Amino acid sequence: MMKNKFQYNIESRQSSKTLIFFLMVYHDFFGEQKMTALLFGYLRFNYLVMYRNSLIIIVMLFLGNMIQAQQLVPLDEVAYVKQINRTIENTKSDSDRLYNTLLLSEYWAQTDSLKSKQALDKVLSSSQKNSLAKGILEYYQGVFYANQGSKSQAKTYYEQAIKALENDSINIAFLIKSWYNYAYIQVEDKGYDYMVKTLTEYCIPLSKKSNNIELLAYSYTQLGLTFMSVGQFDKAEEYHKKALEQLEKIKNKNSVHVVTYLNLVSNYCYKPDSKTAKIYLDQAKELLKPFPESQHYPNYYYQEAMYYTTIQDFDNALASLSKGAKLAKESNQTKLLHMLHFRMYNVYLMQKDYRKAKAQLEHILAEKVLAKEAVNRRITYTQLAAVNDVLGEHKEAYQWMKQASLLSDSLQQNKLLEKMNELEILHQTADKQQKINDLEKEKKANELLSKNKNLRMTILVIALILSLVIAFLIFINYKKQQKLNKQISLSHEQDLLHIENQRKYEATQAILQGEEQERQRIAQDLHDSMGGMLANIRMSISSNDSFNKENVIEKLDKSIVEMRRISRNLMPETLKNLGLEIALKELCETMTQKYFTIQFEAFNLSENIPFKTQIALYRIAQESISNVTKYAQATNVIVQISQNKNILNLTIEDDGIGFDKSEIVYGLGLKNIQNRVQLINGTVEIVSNKGEGTTINVECYV
């Protein structure tokens, strides 16, 4: 199907520009051997038009395989080199001096291998080279050997650099560049997919992780360049645009901008989209303008020639290529120089100037830069064969084709031998690895047995030590806890004693206050009642008039009764002589009023109640009935006292107006009741609600 499409485009004789870019898009589908076979088919049939277009296909195929490593050389190279040399001369730090010497080696690697080697050797021979971070020296050695074409040595050094830098969080930039260069030198062997894998799995993620915007943009544009090399121009454009998005975050434009702009020029020329290509070409030109000695100029002229080729302005394309070739030669950029010459060859083919096209190929072979690799030589031989055939020099064309065929056989044989050697090495390596693995397993098994034995002993010792430590800690904690408990107990006893003393003190103070109040009441009673009565009797006796004897005797009797009442209040004789039950009964009878009655009840009272408890309960009952008289407005009062074994209960209950305990402020009477209860170590409960009367319950032990 692909061959029919190819022939259809040839036979339709479209313009050279359209044919070129169509075939560039599809060249990856043909493969080099099919393209060569196709070329010889045209040679045999001698169709000149088809033959000339096939030459263009081969040229574009050759150029498509010539993706070059784009080193990030600073735009102002003169200032850059001066700064490096100034730092080397003035710095006192050995590591800074060596690092800048390596930068110098990297700078000269592409253009002056001697200077690059001298700078590298200076670092390698330094006794202070170990002051450099691990992996950095290996990276710069890889750069040097890669630029000298020693891929195997470069690959080894890049591998060492990657291994050393993998766990270095400071020098991630060197790890990113090591991965990129490591993949680039293996593109020919492993293909473009390996480059894509490296960029997407290592370079781009590491750039994001380290927030290195410049290397992230560079990785994106290199990924775009890789897709462009296999004809995936839309995908390439996508990644070039991602690079531009990152570059917008960088304030000062640098060499990454130039590289990205020039890559976009190539991509749009291949699409083809000459207008957009011109936009980025102008941006690159504007950026390079202040730096006429920049190494980026040969690449700029190469892309400018691409643009002119796209619009079929072949004269300007050749002029740009000539400028680029001159600068590349002056700066010793040999690979780029021959790329420029190959582009000239392509332009001459488009102009049908086959003599000049042949001369360009011969020049490339004579310089032995691109042509020193067998694959490139074979392509060049096939191009010379095709051009000579077009010129009618069939014998020479045959010779070149013969060399290409021999070289192709040689390459296939070499690849076969390499494959066989690789398989043999893999087999030997596998056998050795198996033996190593067996020995390692045996060693690990022995080590494991030894470790297990030692581990068991260690665990036992540790367990014993831990047991002793735990036992000691438990003992210490037990002692401390005992001491703490003792202290807590003493403190608690002291607190209880203090509380008890405080209660007794408060009760005593209350009793004293009550006694003082009682004295005042007695004094007032004596003054108001006894004093008045005695004064009245005195006045009756001392009156000059004859007094009524019976009247005086009556007054004396009343005085005696009042005296007994006062005396009974001070210390009831009944309580002292007849006990608590009789005393309380008498109290209830004497305190009964016209407007309320007092009902007394007693149950199971013993005769062994301490007098201190009896007097306290008597006074509590007395105070309670007195409060009823003053405040309760009651009609009935019940005083009940009972004993159950060693528990005494006294209850005074009335049907008065009651009170709200949350609103009432306890007066002296209620406080006296509470204090007297505390003195006998009892408890008191006062139950009252508005309109429901009041109940006082006292309980104590005897």
Side-chain angles (χ1 to χ4, degrees):
M1 181 178 178
M2 289 299 164
K3 187 172 181 181
N4 291 336
K5 285 186 178 181
F6 176 80
Q7 291 174 346
Y8 173 78
N9 279 280
I10 294 296
E11 291 167 358
S12 63
R13 301 189 180 184
Q14 294 178 356
S15 66
S16 298
K17 181 177 73 170
T18 305
L19 177 61
I20 290 167
F21 291 110
F22 176 83
L23 294 175
M24 285 178 62
V25 172
Y26 288 102
H27 78 271
D28 191 53
F29 290 100
F30 289 105
E32 189 179 349
Q33 290 183 352
K34 288 185 179 179
M35 299 301 282
T36 304
L38 183 61
L39 174 62
F40 277 105
Y42 294 146
L43 284 172
R44 285 192 297 269
F45 287 104
N46 200 22
Y47 290 121
L48 187 57
V49 176
M50 296 169 63
Y51 177 81
R52 290 172 183 173
N53 282 289
S54 68
L55 293 179
I56 296 172
I57 297 168
I58 297 298
V59 173
M60 301 312 295
L61 174 61
F62 179 74
L63 292 176
N65 288 323
M66 286 304 296
I67 177 175
Q68 61 178 15
Q70 296 175 317
Q71 184 176 338
L72 293 177
V73 179
L75 297 178
D76 193 351
E77 298 174 38
V78 176
Y80 176 69
V81 174
K82 284 183 179 179
Q83 179 61 39
I84 291 175
N85 287 320
R86 192 181 303 115
T87 304
I88 292 171
E89 292 173 3
N90 299 329
T91 187
K92 294 181 180 179
S93 170
D94 291 325
S95 60
D96 287 346
R97 186 182 303 107
L98 294 175
Y99 175 68
N100 278 272
T101 305
L102 290 174
L103 288 177
L104 209 57
S105 174
E106 182 184 34
Y107 173 77
W108 292 116
Q110 285 192 1
T111 58
D112 194 328
S113 59
L114 180 59
K115 287 183 179 180
S116 178
K117 187 68 165 65
Q118 288 174 346
L120 182 61
D121 287 343
K122 190 179 291 185
V123 177
L124 289 171
S125 61
S126 172
S127 59
Q128 303 297 324
K129 64 183 178 182
N130 291 330
S131 62
L132 293 166
K134 291 182 179 179
I136 291 179
L137 180 56
E138 288 79 1
Y139 164 75
Y140 284 106
Q141 286 176 284
V143 170
F144 172 78
Y145 286 109
N147 280 280
Q148 303 313 306
S150 302
K151 291 184 180 180
S152 59
Q153 286 180 285
K155 180 180 174 182
T156 300
Y157 283 116
Y158 283 136
E159 286 174 345
Q160 293 174 5
I162 290 168
K163 187 176 180 181
L165 292 164
E166 276 180 335
N167 298 317
D168 188 344
S169 59
I170 298 174
N171 297 299
I172 296 180
F174 286 101
L175 178 60
I176 296 168
K177 291 189 285 187
S178 296
W179 269 116
Y180 172 75
N181 291 342
Y182 179 70
Y184 167 72
I185 61 175
Q186 298 185 81
V187 167
E188 186 178 339
D189 298 326
K190 295 188 176 182
Y192 291 115
D193 55 336
Y194 184 69
M195 174 63 82
V196 172
K197 176 180 168 61
T198 302
L199 287 167
T200 55
E201 294 184 4
Y202 297 103
C203 299
I204 291 174
L206 286 170
S207 299
K208 289 180 179 178
K209 179 182 177 181
S210 61
N211 199 28
N212 192 322
I213 297 173
E214 185 174 307
L215 282 179
L216 179 58
Y218 182 74
S219 298
Y220 275 136
T221 192
Q222 292 305 307
L223 185 56
L225 186 63
T226 307
F227 279 112
M228 185 173 67
S229 300
V230 294
Q232 298 289 323
F233 303 123
D234 291 333
K235 198 72 174 176
E237 181 182 358
E238 176 186 338
Y239 285 106
H240 290 317
K241 290 295 180 65
K242 283 188 177 183
L244 288 179
E245 289 175 7
Q246 297 301 319
L247 292 174
E248 288 176 358
K249 302 174 185 178
I250 301 175
K251 185 176 180 181
N252 298 319
K253 293 187 176 182
N254 54 33
S255 54
V256 182
H257 290 76
V258 173
V259 169
T260 305
Y261 294 156
L262 295 178
N263 286 344
L264 279 162
V265 172
S266 291
N267 198 69
Y268 283 116
C269 285
Y270 286 135
K271 287 191 79 167
D273 182 353
S274 58
K275 289 183 180 180
T276 309
K278 186 67 166 61
I279 292 172
Y280 290 106
L281 187 66
D282 291 342
Q283 290 187 26
K285 184 178 182 180
E286 187 65 25
L287 198 54
L288 289 170
K289 193 174 181 180
F291 312 107
E293 297 181 9
S294 173
Q295 292 184 29
H296 293 282
Y297 264 106
N299 188 23
Y300 166 78
Y301 285 121
Y302 182 90
Q303 303 302 333
E304 187 178 57
M306 284 277 292
Y307 165 71
Y308 284 130
T309 304
T310 305
I311 62 175
Q312 296 189 21
D313 187 350
F314 301 125
D315 292 336
N316 278 324
L318 289 171
S320 296
L321 291 169
S322 297
K323 291 178 185 178
K326 181 181 178 183
L327 291 174
K329 189 172 184 179
E330 290 174 356
S331 60
N332 201 26
Q333 294 175 269
T334 52
K335 286 188 178 181
L336 189 52
L337 173 63
H338 287 81
M339 287 289 292
L340 289 159
H341 282 301
F342 222 102
R343 174 58 62 183
M344 288 183 192
Y345 162 69
N346 185 47
V347 175
Y348 286 136
L349 282 182
M350 290 180 179
Q351 291 182 316
K352 302 180 182 180
D353 191 343
Y354 302 115
R355 289 291 175 188
K356 289 183 179 180
K358 177 182 176 181
Q360 288 296 325
L361 291 176
E362 290 173 343
H363 175 77
I364 291 169
L365 283 179
E367 292 293 333
K368 296 181 180 178
V369 177
L370 294 181
K372 69 181 180 181
E373 295 184 1
V375 174
N376 291 338
R377 284 204 311 276
R378 181 181 60 186
I379 295 173
T380 308
Y381 293 160
T382 58
Q383 302 310 301
L384 279 167
V387 173
N388 278 289
D389 189 68
V390 171
L391 293 171
E393 298 172 358
H394 303 298
K395 184 176 180 180
E396 191 172 349
Y398 171 75
Q399 293 298 327
W400 286 118
M401 190 55 67
K402 184 178 178 181
Q403 289 189 47
S405 179
L406 291 172
L407 187 56
S408 179
D409 293 340
S410 176
L411 284 172
Q412 290 180 358
Q413 185 176 3
N414 289 336
K415 286 183 178 179
L416 180 61
L417 290 173
E418 287 177 5
K419 191 65 178 179
M420 291 174 65
N421 290 332
E422 286 179 7
L423 291 172
E424 184 180 3
I425 291 170
L426 287 173
H427 176 69
Q428 292 176 354
T429 304
D431 287 342
K432 290 179 181 178
Q433 189 62 44
Q434 185 62 41
K435 290 179 181 179
I436 292 171
N437 291 339
D438 292 340
L439 292 173
E440 286 290 333
K441 287 180 182 178
E442 185 178 352
K443 182 181 177 182
K444 286 180 179 179
N446 293 331
E447 289 178 351
L448 186 61
L449 289 172
S450 177
K451 284 181 180 179
N452 288 339
K453 184 178 179 181
N454 294 334
L455 183 61
R456 285 195 295 271
M457 292 296 295
T458 304
I459 291 173
L460 287 173
V461 172
I462 292 173
L464 180 61
I465 293 171
L466 285 175
S467 300
L468 293 173
V469 170
I470 291 170
F472 178 73
L473 291 175
I474 291 173
F475 177 75
I476 295 296
N477 186 61
Y478 173 73
K479 287 292 185 183
K480 286 183 178 179
Q481 192 63 40
Q482 273 192 327
K483 187 176 180 181
L484 181 61
N485 290 339
K486 189 175 181 181
Q487 290 176 348
I488 292 171
S489 179
L490 289 173
S491 177
H492 184 62
E493 289 176 1
Q494 289 176 355
D495 290 341
L496 289 175
L497 183 60
H498 176 73
I499 292 170
E500 183 65 24
N501 291 336
Q502 186 70 22
R503 285 175 57 196
K504 287 182 178 180
Y505 173 76
E506 290 175 355
T508 303
Q509 288 294 108
I511 294 299
L512 290 174
Q513 187 176 0
E515 288 178 352
E516 183 63 26
Q517 185 181 7
E518 186 68 16
R519 288 190 186 99
Q520 291 177 4
R521 187 182 64 79
I522 293 169
Q524 187 173 358
D525 286 347
L526 289 173
H527 178 272
D528 294 343
S529 60
M530 288 298 296
M533 288 179 179
L534 290 174
N536 193 336
I537 293 170
R538 182 179 176 280
M539 288 177 63
S540 297
I541 295 174
S542 63
S543 174
N544 292 328
D545 299 329
S546 58
F547 62 89
N548 190 344
K549 182 179 178 181
E550 292 179 358
N551 188 27
V552 171
I553 292 172
E554 183 181 353
K555 290 180 179 178
L556 286 173
D557 288 339
K558 288 181 179 180
S559 297
I560 291 169
V561 171
E562 184 65 20
M563 182 64 71
R564 285 176 179 173
R565 184 185 67 79
I566 294 170
S567 176
R568 187 165 52 248
N569 284 338
L570 289 173
M571 176 56 68
E573 290 294 329
T574 308
L575 177 65
K576 190 174 181 181
N577 296 325
L578 301 176
L580 179 61
E581 182 178 347
I582 302 300
L584 287 174
K585 182 178 180 181
E586 185 181 84
L587 176 66
C588 292
E589 291 174 352
T590 59
M591 295 191 75
T592 298
Q593 303 291 331
K594 293 180 181 180
Y595 50 85
F596 72 86
T597 59
I598 301 175
Q599 180 182 344
F600 174 74
E601 298 175 353
F603 303 98
N604 302 324
L605 290 184
S606 69
E607 298 179 355
N608 299 323
I609 300 172
F611 187 74
K612 178 182 177 182
T613 304
Q614 291 184 46
I615 190 65
L617 293 174
Y618 180 85
R619 293 300 183 195
I620 290 168
Q622 188 180 32
E623 187 69 42
S624 299
I625 296 170
S626 178
N627 285 340
V628 172
T629 304
K630 293 177 182 179
Y631 309 113
Q633 302 177 21
T635 56
N636 294 290
V637 179
I638 298 175
V639 177
Q640 186 185 79
I641 186 166
S642 63
Q643 183 175 354
N644 182 14
K645 295 182 180 179
N646 62 338
I647 299 176
L648 269 175
N649 286 287
L650 173 64
T651 301
I652 300 96
E653 182 178 354
D654 66 73
D655 59 355
I657 60 176
F659 59 89
D660 190 344
K661 293 176 67 177
S662 63
E663 296 178 356
I664 196 72
V665 177
Y666 281 26
L668 186 61
L670 291 175
K671 287 184 179 178
N672 283 337
I673 291 172
Q674 290 177 333
N675 291 330
R676 290 183 189 280
V677 171
Q678 288 181 3
L679 285 176
I680 59 175
N681 295 320
T683 60
V684 61
E685 180 186 16
I686 300 173
V687 180
S688 182
N689 288 302
K690 285 185 177 182
E692 297 180 6
T694 302
T695 302
I696 298 175
N697 294 312
V698 177
E699 184 179 285
C700 65
Y701 291 91
V702 294

